[in-house]
Amino acid sequence: MRIETLLIGALSLILAGYLTQASAQPVTPDADIEKPITTQTEVHYRVAVLANYGVAKSIERWQPLMDYLSQNVANASFEVVPLDFNNMNQKLISGDIQFVVTNPGHYFNMSGDYPISWLATMKSNQHNGSTFAIGATIIVRKDSHLFSVEDLAGHSVVASDPNALGGYQAAIGLIHSMDYSINNFFSKVTFLGFPLEPLIYQVRDGTADIAITPFCTLEQMVAEGYIEASDYRVINDVTPADYECAVSTPLYPNWSFASSDAVPLMVRTGITRALLSISMDDPASIIGQNRGWAAPISQFQVVKLFNDLNLNADDSPVHLQVLQWIKLNQKWGFSLLGLFVIATIYHLWLEYKFRQKSEFLINTERQLKNKALQLERMQSAAILGEIGAGLAHELNQPIAAITQYSEGGMIEQAKNIGTNSVQYQLLEKIHQQSMRAGEIVHRIRELLQRKGTASTEFDVQEQLMICLDLLEHEFEKEKINIKTQLTTTEIKLNGDKVGFCQVLINVLKNAIDAVSEKEFPLHSRKRILIDLHIVDQSLQLKIYDNGIGLTCANDDFKTSFFSTKANGLGLGLAICSDVIALFGGQINLSKCKDDPSPPWRYGCRVLIVIPLNAMPD
């Protein structure tokens, strides 16, 4: 039991004892009403009523009763507050209203969550003042093909509110009592709220097949001239004798006046006396469309209906239940809500910091691995540098000897036989290659010693043809179809001529190896295409092959000591990249299919781009 209820109960007992002592003198009820105590401060109370026909009409109907209570209840004034079901519940929780005038179904739903007391039941203005005047009327158009409750299944329906006893709940109770399943009985249910007139308008306009309205809504709209009675028909008409309005469901107790238990017992007692003493001829009764008030009527039929349908179970969404609990327990509710928000923010902050630290650790680990790999490569480069320096020194002497011997032989051949002999031409080629070998060894020594390379002006096409002549034997051996596309014949570069030739030979040798490793069908040929042209003041040299293609990323091939060949050192393309960089250019590898206009789709493409106006480093 709530602490608030215990406190209010104790206060009620104290006030009851006070009233008992005060009533020891023989004073009639009329005297109490006519001579209220005026020495105490007047308290203003707000009375919520269901706004069935809108706010303005509700105030017009119920404010006279509020004025009557203000005159006849000591030290109290009353104000009518028209609300719908949901707003009435919220206002009652927050304490903005202290009394409610509603149907017993709504009272039953509220009584499980809010401490309220039933004071009086309203007598109907019709039906000989009956206190059973709550029910539902199921209405269809006159020309509708629906004639029974069974026919209603699978059709669309409109109603005021799911909590309206004199409407949707009574109708669902009727359907349940006839052994029909209430789950998905209608194809579509739409709740329009208040006022009630649009419910019948929906049926009139064909927007809905059925309208479920409170008892007497149809007759009241006919009397006010809104609709014609002949245009509509009532389903399952079970109107009792001496009742003026058609009804489709059993009737339940009329509206009642209920009070929050927070209102003092003296005020509640005064209201009950005033309600029971009001006559049917009083202006408050006439305007309020009733014949006065009676003692509270038993709610057995309502309880039975709700138990059958389990309507008193809280089927509202979880978030609404949580919100309602917070309203009832604001202190603890807001504390828990604040704690939840803080915990959520803290969790998100921890997750953010954890992710930030994880990314930092991953980046640090990646950098350490790269540093370790670079260190390993530098160590390998240092070892290779020592070996290369010694090797270059040792090779320089035999190359010099070959140069001298070939040059001496050429002199002897020229003296004795002449320069046109085959021997002289062979010795000349040997001399040229020995000179070239000497230049390569000299360049390697300068590279290892980190010295600059002498720049000379040379013809690109001429150097390309020299490289093709040197590899002519390789092309014939592997039966490779070599083709060149030269858009210009005079392209001059200023830089390391030997290094440039070294790059061309290395790239062409890799292309030969690539096509040699691939198995070709009988009708296919091994092909290499060299495309040389000028684009935007830059030399572009493309070398295509239809070999096995790339197996790694472009940057991996330009890394020292990385090789895809079984016997490769991984220095060829790395050196090529350094040489081309000295010209201010770059070298890139890609698949043929990635080229904008490839000669074929399979294989590798090497692209060398060198600005013609760039100065060498």
Side-chain angles (χ1 to χ4, degrees), residues 14-29 31-32 37 265-266 269 273:
I14 296 172
L15 291 173
Y18 172 79
L19 289 175
T20 302
Q21 294 178 0
S23 60
Q25 299 296 328
V27 180
T28 63
D32 292 337
I37 301 174
L265 178 61
M266 181 181 298
T269 303
R273 290 176 178 175

PDB file of all heavy atoms in Angstrom, residues 14-29 31-32 37 265-266 269 273:
ATOM      1  N   ILE A  14      -8.824  11.454  11.110  1.00  0.00           N
ATOM      2  CA  ILE A  14      -8.811  12.628  12.006  1.00  0.00           C
ATOM      3  C   ILE A  14      -9.943  13.576  11.652  1.00  0.00           C
ATOM      4  O   ILE A  14     -10.674  14.075  12.520  1.00  0.00           O
ATOM      5  CB  ILE A  14      -7.450  13.328  11.922  1.00  0.00           C
ATOM      6  CG1 ILE A  14      -6.354  12.405  12.443  1.00  0.00           C
ATOM      7  CG2 ILE A  14      -7.466  14.640  12.680  1.00  0.00           C
ATOM      8  CD1 ILE A  14      -4.948  12.933  12.233  1.00  0.00           C
ATOM      9  N   LEU A  15     -10.133  13.821  10.314  1.00  0.00           N
ATOM     10  CA  LEU A  15     -11.203  14.722   9.890  1.00  0.00           C
ATOM     11  C   LEU A  15     -12.565  14.128  10.198  1.00  0.00           C
ATOM     12  O   LEU A  15     -13.509  14.849  10.548  1.00  0.00           O
ATOM     13  CB  LEU A  15     -11.075  15.005   8.391  1.00  0.00           C
ATOM     14  CG  LEU A  15      -9.859  15.849   7.982  1.00  0.00           C
ATOM     15  CD1 LEU A  15      -9.757  15.918   6.468  1.00  0.00           C
ATOM     16  CD2 LEU A  15      -9.979  17.238   8.573  1.00  0.00           C
ATOM     17  N   ALA A  16     -12.682  12.776  10.058  1.00  0.00           N
ATOM     18  CA  ALA A  16     -13.959  12.147  10.377  1.00  0.00           C
ATOM     19  C   ALA A  16     -14.305  12.345  11.854  1.00  0.00           C
ATOM     20  O   ALA A  16     -15.457  12.605  12.232  1.00  0.00           O
ATOM     21  CB  ALA A  16     -13.906  10.662  10.035  1.00  0.00           C
ATOM     22  N   GLY A  17     -13.266  12.224  12.742  1.00  0.00           N
ATOM     23  CA  GLY A  17     -13.522  12.460  14.165  1.00  0.00           C
ATOM     24  C   GLY A  17     -13.930  13.897  14.437  1.00  0.00           C
ATOM     25  O   GLY A  17     -14.819  14.179  15.246  1.00  0.00           O
ATOM     26  N   TYR A  18     -13.312  14.783  13.686  1.00  0.00           N
ATOM     27  CA  TYR A  18     -13.662  16.191  13.856  1.00  0.00           C
ATOM     28  C   TYR A  18     -15.102  16.450  13.431  1.00  0.00           C
ATOM     29  O   TYR A  18     -15.853  17.159  14.104  1.00  0.00           O
ATOM     30  CB  TYR A  18     -12.694  17.051  13.041  1.00  0.00           C
ATOM     31  CG  TYR A  18     -13.094  18.517  12.985  1.00  0.00           C
ATOM     32  CD1 TYR A  18     -12.836  19.370  14.053  1.00  0.00           C
ATOM     33  CD2 TYR A  18     -13.739  19.026  11.858  1.00  0.00           C
ATOM     34  CE1 TYR A  18     -13.212  20.691  13.982  1.00  0.00           C
ATOM     35  CE2 TYR A  18     -14.111  20.351  11.788  1.00  0.00           C
ATOM     36  CZ  TYR A  18     -13.838  21.194  12.869  1.00  0.00           C
ATOM     37  OH  TYR A  18     -14.192  22.499  12.791  1.00  0.00           O
ATOM     38  N   LEU A  19     -15.498  15.830  12.291  1.00  0.00           N
ATOM     39  CA  LEU A  19     -16.869  16.015  11.810  1.00  0.00           C
ATOM     40  C   LEU A  19     -17.879  15.408  12.787  1.00  0.00           C
ATOM     41  O   LEU A  19     -18.976  15.923  12.981  1.00  0.00           O
ATOM     42  CB  LEU A  19     -17.034  15.389  10.426  1.00  0.00           C
ATOM     43  CG  LEU A  19     -16.314  16.126   9.273  1.00  0.00           C
ATOM     44  CD1 LEU A  19     -16.475  15.332   7.991  1.00  0.00           C
ATOM     45  CD2 LEU A  19     -16.896  17.514   9.115  1.00  0.00           C
ATOM     46  N   THR A  20     -17.500  14.273  13.381  1.00  0.00           N
ATOM     47  CA  THR A  20     -18.417  13.636  14.336  1.00  0.00           C
ATOM     48  C   THR A  20     -18.681  14.544  15.527  1.00  0.00           C
ATOM     49  O   THR A  20     -19.814  14.700  16.007  1.00  0.00           O
ATOM     50  CB  THR A  20     -17.831  12.299  14.811  1.00  0.00           C
ATOM     51  OG1 THR A  20     -17.617  11.479  13.656  1.00  0.00           O
ATOM     52  CG2 THR A  20     -18.768  11.597  15.761  1.00  0.00           C
ATOM     53  N   GLN A  21     -17.577  15.168  16.039  1.00  0.00           N
ATOM     54  CA  GLN A  21     -17.764  16.072  17.164  1.00  0.00           C
ATOM     55  C   GLN A  21     -18.564  17.301  16.756  1.00  0.00           C
ATOM     56  O   GLN A  21     -19.405  17.806  17.485  1.00  0.00           O
ATOM     57  CB  GLN A  21     -16.392  16.505  17.701  1.00  0.00           C
ATOM     58  CG  GLN A  21     -15.623  15.332  18.322  1.00  0.00           C
ATOM     59  CD  GLN A  21     -14.255  15.767  18.795  1.00  0.00           C
ATOM     60  OE1 GLN A  21     -13.892  16.923  18.665  1.00  0.00           O
ATOM     61  NE2 GLN A  21     -13.498  14.831  19.367  1.00  0.00           N
ATOM     62  N   ALA A  22     -18.259  17.772  15.511  1.00  0.00           N
ATOM     63  CA  ALA A  22     -18.953  18.983  15.077  1.00  0.00           C
ATOM     64  C   ALA A  22     -20.430  18.749  14.861  1.00  0.00           C
ATOM     65  O   ALA A  22     -21.250  19.666  14.998  1.00  0.00           O
ATOM     66  CB  ALA A  22     -18.310  19.502  13.786  1.00  0.00           C
ATOM     67  N   SER A  23     -20.796  17.516  14.523  1.00  0.00           N
ATOM     68  CA  SER A  23     -22.206  17.214  14.246  1.00  0.00           C
ATOM     69  C   SER A  23     -22.950  16.728  15.487  1.00  0.00           C
ATOM     70  O   SER A  23     -24.064  16.216  15.388  1.00  0.00           O
ATOM     71  CB  SER A  23     -22.287  16.151  13.141  1.00  0.00           C
ATOM     72  OG  SER A  23     -21.631  14.974  13.567  1.00  0.00           O
ATOM     73  N   ALA A  24     -22.342  16.847  16.685  1.00  0.00           N
ATOM     74  CA  ALA A  24     -23.035  16.409  17.909  1.00  0.00           C
ATOM     75  C   ALA A  24     -24.261  17.250  18.163  1.00  0.00           C
ATOM     76  O   ALA A  24     -25.266  16.788  18.723  1.00  0.00           O
ATOM     77  CB  ALA A  24     -22.079  16.513  19.115  1.00  0.00           C
ATOM     78  N   GLN A  25     -24.223  18.542  17.751  1.00  0.00           N
ATOM     79  CA  GLN A  25     -25.394  19.387  17.899  1.00  0.00           C
ATOM     80  C   GLN A  25     -26.391  19.049  16.803  1.00  0.00           C
ATOM     81  O   GLN A  25     -26.010  18.740  15.678  1.00  0.00           O
ATOM     82  CB  GLN A  25     -24.992  20.870  17.801  1.00  0.00           C
ATOM     83  CG  GLN A  25     -24.007  21.301  18.884  1.00  0.00           C
ATOM     84  CD  GLN A  25     -24.609  21.210  20.265  1.00  0.00           C
ATOM     85  OE1 GLN A  25     -25.825  21.405  20.442  1.00  0.00           O
ATOM     86  NE2 GLN A  25     -23.778  20.906  21.262  1.00  0.00           N
ATOM     87  N   PRO A  26     -27.655  19.037  17.047  1.00  0.00           N
ATOM     88  CA  PRO A  26     -28.670  18.699  16.037  1.00  0.00           C
ATOM     89  C   PRO A  26     -28.779  19.783  14.970  1.00  0.00           C
ATOM     90  O   PRO A  26     -29.459  20.777  15.151  1.00  0.00           O
ATOM     91  CB  PRO A  26     -29.962  18.588  16.853  1.00  0.00           C
ATOM     92  CG  PRO A  26     -29.732  19.484  18.029  1.00  0.00           C
ATOM     93  CD  PRO A  26     -28.295  19.398  18.353  1.00  0.00           C
ATOM     94  N   VAL A  27     -28.048  19.599  13.856  1.00  0.00           N
ATOM     95  CA  VAL A  27     -28.080  20.545  12.747  1.00  0.00           C
ATOM     96  C   VAL A  27     -28.526  19.791  11.514  1.00  0.00           C
ATOM     97  O   VAL A  27     -28.004  18.727  11.205  1.00  0.00           O
ATOM     98  CB  VAL A  27     -26.683  21.146  12.508  1.00  0.00           C
ATOM     99  CG1 VAL A  27     -26.726  22.131  11.352  1.00  0.00           C
ATOM    100  CG2 VAL A  27     -26.185  21.819  13.773  1.00  0.00           C
ATOM    101  N   THR A  28     -29.477  20.314  10.803  1.00  0.00           N
ATOM    102  CA  THR A  28     -29.999  19.656   9.593  1.00  0.00           C
ATOM    103  C   THR A  28     -29.042  19.884   8.438  1.00  0.00           C
ATOM    104  O   THR A  28     -28.273  20.838   8.428  1.00  0.00           O
ATOM    105  CB  THR A  28     -31.374  20.245   9.245  1.00  0.00           C
ATOM    106  OG1 THR A  28     -31.185  21.632   8.942  1.00  0.00           O
ATOM    107  CG2 THR A  28     -32.351  20.077  10.377  1.00  0.00           C
ATOM    108  N   PRO A  29     -29.066  18.972   7.407  1.00  0.00           N
ATOM    109  CA  PRO A  29     -28.200  19.166   6.237  1.00  0.00           C
ATOM    110  C   PRO A  29     -28.439  20.482   5.539  1.00  0.00           C
ATOM    111  O   PRO A  29     -27.508  21.122   5.089  1.00  0.00           O
ATOM    112  CB  PRO A  29     -28.574  17.975   5.330  1.00  0.00           C
ATOM    113  CG  PRO A  29     -29.102  16.936   6.278  1.00  0.00           C
ATOM    114  CD  PRO A  29     -29.788  17.699   7.355  1.00  0.00           C
ATOM    115  N   ALA A  31     -29.325  23.226   6.824  1.00  0.00           N
ATOM    116  CA  ALA A  31     -28.697  24.299   7.586  1.00  0.00           C
ATOM    117  C   ALA A  31     -27.205  24.363   7.301  1.00  0.00           C
ATOM    118  O   ALA A  31     -26.610  25.428   7.213  1.00  0.00           O
ATOM    119  CB  ALA A  31     -28.953  24.099   9.088  1.00  0.00           C
ATOM    120  N   ASP A  32     -26.561  23.142   7.142  1.00  0.00           N
ATOM    121  CA  ASP A  32     -25.128  23.127   6.829  1.00  0.00           C
ATOM    122  C   ASP A  32     -24.850  23.779   5.489  1.00  0.00           C
ATOM    123  O   ASP A  32     -23.850  24.473   5.303  1.00  0.00           O
ATOM    124  CB  ASP A  32     -24.601  21.686   6.821  1.00  0.00           C
ATOM    125  CG  ASP A  32     -24.609  21.080   8.224  1.00  0.00           C
ATOM    126  OD1 ASP A  32     -24.592  21.879   9.173  1.00  0.00           O
ATOM    127  OD2 ASP A  32     -24.611  19.838   8.322  1.00  0.00           O
ATOM    128  N   ILE A  37     -19.240  27.748   6.725  1.00  0.00           N
ATOM    129  CA  ILE A  37     -18.253  28.474   7.540  1.00  0.00           C
ATOM    130  C   ILE A  37     -17.427  29.345   6.613  1.00  0.00           C
ATOM    131  O   ILE A  37     -16.853  28.868   5.642  1.00  0.00           O
ATOM    132  CB  ILE A  37     -17.344  27.492   8.306  1.00  0.00           C
ATOM    133  CG1 ILE A  37     -18.201  26.614   9.215  1.00  0.00           C
ATOM    134  CG2 ILE A  37     -16.268  28.222   9.082  1.00  0.00           C
ATOM    135  CD1 ILE A  37     -17.416  25.510   9.911  1.00  0.00           C
ATOM    136  N   LEU A 265     -11.663  15.345   3.451  1.00  0.00           N
ATOM    137  CA  LEU A 265     -12.922  14.620   3.611  1.00  0.00           C
ATOM    138  C   LEU A 265     -14.095  15.575   3.779  1.00  0.00           C
ATOM    139  O   LEU A 265     -15.202  15.310   3.280  1.00  0.00           O
ATOM    140  CB  LEU A 265     -12.819  13.679   4.819  1.00  0.00           C
ATOM    141  CG  LEU A 265     -14.063  12.869   5.151  1.00  0.00           C
ATOM    142  CD1 LEU A 265     -14.443  11.958   3.982  1.00  0.00           C
ATOM    143  CD2 LEU A 265     -13.849  12.057   6.429  1.00  0.00           C
ATOM    144  N   MET A 266     -13.882  16.707   4.443  1.00  0.00           N
ATOM    145  CA  MET A 266     -14.970  17.661   4.652  1.00  0.00           C
ATOM    146  C   MET A 266     -15.483  18.189   3.315  1.00  0.00           C
ATOM    147  O   MET A 266     -16.702  18.325   3.105  1.00  0.00           O
ATOM    148  CB  MET A 266     -14.464  18.816   5.529  1.00  0.00           C
ATOM    149  CG  MET A 266     -15.542  19.867   5.837  1.00  0.00           C
ATOM    150  SD  MET A 266     -14.872  21.219   6.837  1.00  0.00           S
ATOM    151  CE  MET A 266     -14.390  20.315   8.294  1.00  0.00           C
ATOM    152  N   THR A 269     -17.387  15.424   1.503  1.00  0.00           N
ATOM    153  CA  THR A 269     -18.705  15.235   2.123  1.00  0.00           C
ATOM    154  C   THR A 269     -19.666  16.334   1.698  1.00  0.00           C
ATOM    155  O   THR A 269     -20.846  16.075   1.371  1.00  0.00           O
ATOM    156  CB  THR A 269     -18.566  15.213   3.652  1.00  0.00           C
ATOM    157  OG1 THR A 269     -17.665  14.180   4.030  1.00  0.00           O
ATOM    158  CG2 THR A 269     -19.910  14.977   4.306  1.00  0.00           C
ATOM    159  N   ARG A 273     -23.249  15.831  -0.437  1.00  0.00           N
ATOM    160  CA  ARG A 273     -24.541  16.337   0.049  1.00  0.00           C
ATOM    161  C   ARG A 273     -25.169  17.274  -0.983  1.00  0.00           C
ATOM    162  O   ARG A 273     -26.382  17.213  -1.242  1.00  0.00           O
ATOM    163  CB  ARG A 273     -24.351  17.088   1.368  1.00  0.00           C
ATOM    164  CG  ARG A 273     -23.998  16.174   2.539  1.00  0.00           C
ATOM    165  CD  ARG A 273     -23.726  17.009   3.767  1.00  0.00           C
ATOM    166  NE  ARG A 273     -23.438  16.158   4.921  1.00  0.00           N
ATOM    167  CZ  ARG A 273     -23.064  16.621   6.114  1.00  0.00           C
ATOM    168  NH1 ARG A 273     -22.927  17.937   6.279  1.00  0.00           N
ATOM    169  NH2 ARG A 273     -22.835  15.797   7.105  1.00  0.00           N
TER     170      ARG A 273
END
